[in-house]
């Protein structure tokens, strides 16, 4: 265990998130009701994903500037954990929407057909698929330097594609998903101040957990690469 | 506008607001107040906390194992 203060911080923040997330008071809203508490979990997954992808692209740029293979491993593993968090965000969003957006008067199939057209869902799916392609592309090249260089360049492209697909497109089109008018959950007018008390610590806690898992994967990969060199 | 007209307008507006009040008998959001009042919510918190702590313990042990591996490989 090294540099463990932020790991402890992550654990404490997550414990606080669960306790505060279930027990603290939330605004009483129609249709959403108690599911508003998903903000502390579902939205945090997307925030964590975005932060991890940003760390990943920074390491890709650093690789291209220094050609140190270490940074390539960093970029790859941060992106991998980012994809996991994105997938969890997608899955939790699917559960959440089937109880709040789905129209109980419509048959399931019709209701689903309407929801599947949500630009936010399509955009997020595209973004995740582009990142999955990064994994496939980078891991299918056997030459170490080529793998790192092509991977880094593609990673920058993937990061750039995040902006149209998850930030711009859903704001241009009509959507049921909140946050079209600004930055979802960050805007001071659309989030209750009582909820911010739990939401911000939750974002930090989940992100730190993601970073922790990513560092474990990085350290394992470095050990493996070292063994291959010997 | 004459005074009588103004008064008539005022009364009309008052009526409009009254009827709108009558229509929108405020719909209450159905919250899980029951679970909170009888304390069952703490059971949920305990279960989720246990799962979270179990997962964190698992990550923690992985961290220790990897540190050991790093020391052996040095």
């Amino acid at each position: 265990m090294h540099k463990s203060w932020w790991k402890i911080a992550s654990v404490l923040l997550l414990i606080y998130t669960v306790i505060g997330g279930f027990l603290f008071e939330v605004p009483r809203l129609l249709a959403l009701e108690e599911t508003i508490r998903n903000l502390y979990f579902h939205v945090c997954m997307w925030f964590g994903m975005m932060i991890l992808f940003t760390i990943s692209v920074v390491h890709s740029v650093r690789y291209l500037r220094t050609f140190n293979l270490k940074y390539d491993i960093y970029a790859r593993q941060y992106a991998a954990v980012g994809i996991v968090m994105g997938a969890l965000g997608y899955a939790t969003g699917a559960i959440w929407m089937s109880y709040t957006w789905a129209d109980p008067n419509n048959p399931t199939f019709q209701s689903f057909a309407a929801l599947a057209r949500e630009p936010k869902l399509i955009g997020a799916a595209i973004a995740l698929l582009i990142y999955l392609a990064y994994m496939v592309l980078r891991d299918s090249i056997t030459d170490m330097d080529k793998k790192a260089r092509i991977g880094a360049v593609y990673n920058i492209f993937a990061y750039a594609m995040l902006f149209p697909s998850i930030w711009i497109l859903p704001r241009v089109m009509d959507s049921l998903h909140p946050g079209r008018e600004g930055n979802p959950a960050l805007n001071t007018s659309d989030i209750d101040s009582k909820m911010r008390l739990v939401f911000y610590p939750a974002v930090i806690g989940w992100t730190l957990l993601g970073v922790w898992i990513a560092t474990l994967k990085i350290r394992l990969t470095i050990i493996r690469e070292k063994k291959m060199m010997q | 506008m004459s005074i009588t007209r103004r008064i008539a307008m005022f009364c009309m507006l008052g009526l409009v607001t009254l009827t709108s009040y009558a229509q929108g008998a405020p719909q209450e959001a159905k919250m899980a107040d029951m679970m909170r009042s009888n304390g069952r919510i703490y059971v949920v918190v305990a279960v989720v906390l246990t799962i979270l702590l179990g997962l964190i313990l698992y990550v923690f042990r992985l961290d220790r194992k990897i540190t050991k591996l790093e020391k052996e490989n040095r």
Side-chain angles (χ1 to χ4, degrees):
Chain A
M1 291 285 290
H2 41 78
K3 279 192 214 127
S4 43
W5 69 266
W6 55 270
K7 293 170 184 171
I8 296 166
S10 159
V11 173
L12 292 180
L13 286 173
L14 286 176
I15 292 172
Y16 170 75
T17 302
V18 168
I19 295 174
F22 281 112
L23 297 181
F24 288 2
E25 220 170 281
V26 290
R28 305 172 81 92
L29 300 172
L30 286 173
L32 274 178
E33 293 156 14
E34 293 279 2
T35 67
I36 187 76
R37 292 175 196 279
N38 281 350
L39 181 86
Y40 308 134
F41 305 98
H42 163 77
V43 183
C44 294
M45 290 296 122
W46 293 110
F47 270 68
M49 179 198 84
M50 198 61 210
I51 296 170
L52 288 171
F53 282 169
T54 308
I55 300 174
S56 169
V57 81
V58 167
H59 284 295
S60 274
V61 172
R62 278 171 96 182
Y63 169 75
L64 288 174
R65 288 172 66 99
T66 60
F67 292 115
N68 184 344
L69 284 171
K70 185 178 81 180
Y71 294 129
D72 173 55
I73 295 170
Y74 278 43
R76 199 267 183 210
Q77 303 299 357
Y78 275 115
V81 180
I83 291 174
V84 171
M85 289 193 105
L88 286 174
Y90 210 88
T92 50
I95 299 170
W96 195 0
M97 79 167 189
S98 46
Y99 287 93
T100 51
W101 290 354
D103 186 353
N105 301 318
N106 273 349
T108 319
F109 179 75
Q110 227 175 36
S111 193
F112 178 77
L115 295 181
R117 281 192 215 109
E118 272 298 310
K120 198 115 184 171
L121 301 190
I122 297 169
I126 292 171
L128 284 178
L129 285 174
I130 289 173
Y131 267 93
L132 282 175
Y134 166 57
M135 303 281 123
V136 173
L137 178 72
R138 184 191 169 279
D139 296 353
S140 62
I141 301 169
T142 44
D143 183 274
M144 283 231 311
D145 292 300
K146 214 184 238 174
K147 169 204 290 245
R149 203 171 308 180
I150 294 174
V153 172
Y154 184 86
N155 193 22
I156 295 169
F157 160 76
Y159 188 74
M161 274 305 286
L162 272 181
F163 289 87
S165 60
I166 72 173
W167 293 108
I168 301 169
L169 204 80
R171 278 173 178 62
V172 176
M173 296 163 86
D174 282 329
S175 170
L176 283 169
H177 197 286
R180 224 160 62 78
E181 304 78 20
N183 294 321
L186 277 181
N187 195 340
T188 46
S189 64
D190 70 23
I191 177 170
D192 194 79
S193 59
K194 275 178 282 178
M195 294 196 75
R196 252 176 289 159
L197 217 62
V198 180
F199 177 64
Y200 291 149
V203 168
I204 300 169
W206 287 113
T207 308
L208 284 179
L209 184 68
V211 171
W212 187 0
I213 295 170
T215 55
L216 293 184
K217 284 171 64 98
I218 290 163
R219 284 157 65 190
L220 256 185
T221 320
I222 289 176
I223 293 170
R224 202 188 301 137
E225 303 269 303
K226 264 189 191 155
K227 272 214 171 138
M228 291 233 293
M229 296 285 209
Q230 281 162 9
Chain B
M1 222 189 277
S2 69
I3 292 275
T4 44
R5 255 199 187 172
R6 274 191 197 184
I7 291 169
M9 278 281 262
F10 187 73
C11 290
M12 282 272 281
L13 278 175
L15 271 179
V16 167
T17 48
L18 263 182
T19 46
S20 67
Y21 263 116
Q23 266 175 2
Q27 225 182 328
E28 265 288 302
K30 288 185 215 102
M31 306 294 270
D33 293 318
M34 179 76 177
M35 257 185 127
R36 249 154 261 282
S37 65
N38 64 16
R40 284 283 200 273
I41 190 77
Y42 298 111
V43 182
V44 179
V45 175
V47 168
V48 177
L49 266 186
T50 312
I51 291 175
L52 180 73
L53 288 178
L55 285 175
I56 286 172
L57 193 74
Y58 180 68
V59 176
F60 180 79
R61 303 226 330 136
L62 268 179
D63 199 328
R64 292 265 294 268
K65 272 184 194 158
I66 293 171
T67 311
K68 224 178 182 182
L69 261 180
E70 275 174 339
K71 275 182 188 150
E72 277 169 17
N73 274 308
R74 209 160 274 159

